[in-house]
Amino acid sequence: MTNILLELSKRNKEWLRMAYKICGCYENSKDLVQDMYLRIGLKNPELREEHSDYVYKIMKNIILNNERKKYVNQTKMLNKVKFVRIDTNLL
């Protein structure tokens, strides 16, 4: 498994570019690539470096999950907001 991660790490710049294309933010791209390495290392020890499509899918799923979590958190915050009716006759 270590050899697979070592081989993948040789293409780190490629993964960063791919992650940037997905999320559009350099800082998030670094986090995305790090998460990708963790998922590959923990769940897919037989993965080989030529599986770029698989790596792309992992990154895409990570960013989609992160965006979903943001949306859920924003929705929860909006549900806590109390709206007040303004009487326009007073204006």
Side-chain angles (χ1 to χ4, degrees):
M1 178 172 52
T2 305
N3 291 337
I4 295 166
L5 293 175
L6 181 61
E7 289 302 314
L8 283 170
S9 70
K10 290 178 183 177
R11 297 171 62 186
N12 196 59
K13 288 182 182 180
E14 179 182 344
W15 308 136
L16 283 170
R17 280 192 303 274
M18 186 184 296
Y20 183 81
K21 287 179 183 179
I22 294 170
C23 69
C25 172
Y26 180 69
E27 291 303 316
N28 290 343
S29 299
K30 293 191 298 186
D31 292 340
L32 188 59
V33 170
Q34 183 177 4
D35 287 348
M36 180 264 309
Y37 283 127
L38 284 173
R39 286 192 186 188
I40 289 171
L42 295 174
K43 296 182 181 180
N44 304 294
E46 66 279 349
L47 182 70
R48 300 287 180 244
E49 76 145 5
E50 62 271 3
H51 291 94
S52 298
D53 292 340
Y54 185 67
V55 171
Y56 179 81
K57 184 177 180 179
I58 289 172
M59 284 190 206
K60 186 175 153 189
N61 288 339
I62 292 169
I63 197 69
L64 288 173
N65 288 338
N66 289 342
E67 291 302 315
R68 249 185 244 116
K69 287 176 189 174
K70 283 184 204 174
Y71 176 78
V72 168
N73 289 336
Q74 288 173 352
T75 304
K76 285 180 182 177
M77 286 179 13
L78 283 176
N79 288 336
K80 292 179 182 178
V81 173
K82 294 182 180 180
F83 293 95
V84 178
R85 186 175 190 170
I86 298 174
D87 189 353
T88 56
N89 295 329
L90 298 175
L91 298 177

